[in-house]
Amino acid sequence: MESLDLREVESAIEGILFASGEPLPIDRICLALDLDRPTAEQVLQKLGDYYAFERRGIRLVRMEDSYQLCSSPDYADVIRRAFEIRKTAKLSQPALEVLTIIAYYQPTTRAYIDQVRGVDSSYTVGLLLERGLIEECGRLQVPGRPRLYRTTKKFLRDFHLGSLEELPEMPGLEADGQLRMTEDGTILDPSAMTEKEGSVPENGEH
């Protein structure tokens, strides 16, 4: 393949990502353009900064070692109107709880999820599978061979995470074994909740 200058490499990567339409591993980009990884990462960073700085209608999103071109969240409403897309329903509290358990303890089984939550989670696990936020990733090598679940790249993209390492530190569970989360998926720290719901501090001290 004929050698390309950096501007041509930038355009080529842009074209490859646009044609892909899904997360593309950086190794495939390097192979296609005969690039070393540091150079590819440098060009991808430049592209991402350009889209963000110029407030373009697209964004370059990194998900672990993959990259994808997506529409800018700033224009989500007009994009939905253009395609008459009904706004996706928010996840319910049970769905957020199950998703959080899987995110932090993956790969994990439904039996473990049920144990943590104290209730049957089969319906909620099925819902998350349909939404593409989790996926099966094998079976546990014990009697019955229960299915194992993990989060997907769609989970990373929807929650604006570059990798699982960007998840906040997992707080402890409530005494009843239940996780507490806000509607946007933020995990509430049980200790903070206890302080908030507790009595008024003595002598005005905090």
Side-chain angles (χ1 to χ4, degrees):
M1 178 178 173
E2 185 180 343
S3 163
L4 302 176
D5 62 31
L6 280 180
R7 183 60 182 271
E8 290 174 317
V9 168
E10 185 178 313
S11 297
I13 289 179
E14 187 175 44
I16 290 170
L17 291 172
F18 178 81
S20 171
E22 60 184 26
L24 191 67
I26 189 172
D27 289 343
R28 291 183 62 182
I29 296 173
C30 292
L31 182 63
L33 296 173
D34 193 22
L35 295 175
D36 58 83
R37 184 161 178 149
T39 300
E41 289 177 339
Q42 177 186 353
V43 175
L44 285 161
Q45 181 67 48
K46 183 180 178 183
L47 264 179
D49 291 345
Y50 167 73
Y51 294 141
F53 181 77
E54 295 291 335
R55 296 183 60 83
R56 307 296 298 179
I58 56 177
R59 293 287 186 272
L60 181 57
V61 179
R62 180 182 67 85
M63 291 164 282
E64 296 181 329
D65 288 333
S66 297
Y67 292 80
Q68 182 178 13
L69 286 178
C70 302
S71 58
S72 169
D74 295 339
Y75 304 106
D77 290 339
V78 295
I79 291 170
R80 289 192 188 98
R81 286 200 296 271
F83 292 96
E84 298 182 349
I85 300 174
R86 183 169 60 87
K87 187 175 182 179
T88 304
K90 289 183 178 180
L91 290 174
S92 64
Q93 184 68 22
L96 287 170
E97 291 177 0
V98 171
L99 186 58
T100 300
I101 294 168
I102 294 173
Y104 281 94
Y105 295 106
Q106 61 186 304
T108 190
T109 64
R110 188 172 65 79
Y112 180 76
I113 298 168
D114 293 348
Q115 178 184 343
V116 173
R117 298 186 65 236
V119 294
D120 182 83
S121 304
S122 54
Y123 172 80
T124 308
V125 168
L127 177 66
L128 293 172
L129 284 167
E130 289 179 6
R131 295 280 289 269
L133 295 170
I134 64 171
E135 63 186 0
E136 293 183 18
C137 60
R139 291 176 179 268
L140 193 63
Q141 299 303 311
V142 297
R145 299 191 65 212
R147 292 181 175 86
L148 290 166
Y149 298 98
R150 67 185 177 193
T151 54
T152 62
K153 282 187 169 59
K154 185 178 188 300
F155 162 77
L156 294 176
R157 183 173 66 244
D158 289 359
F159 284 81
H160 309 291
L161 297 170
S163 70
L164 293 173
E165 294 178 356
E166 294 181 13
L167 284 168
E169 184 177 351
M170 178 67 169
L173 297 177
E174 289 292 320
D176 60 3
Q178 300 290 317
L179 287 165
R180 298 293 184 263
M181 304 176 66
T182 62
E183 288 187 357
D184 64 0
T186 302
I187 306 163
L188 297 179
D189 186 338
S191 62
M193 290 180 60
T194 302
E195 292 173 1
K196 182 178 179 181
E197 295 171 358
S199 58
V200 178
E202 296 181 3
N203 301 323
E205 294 180 355
H206 296 279

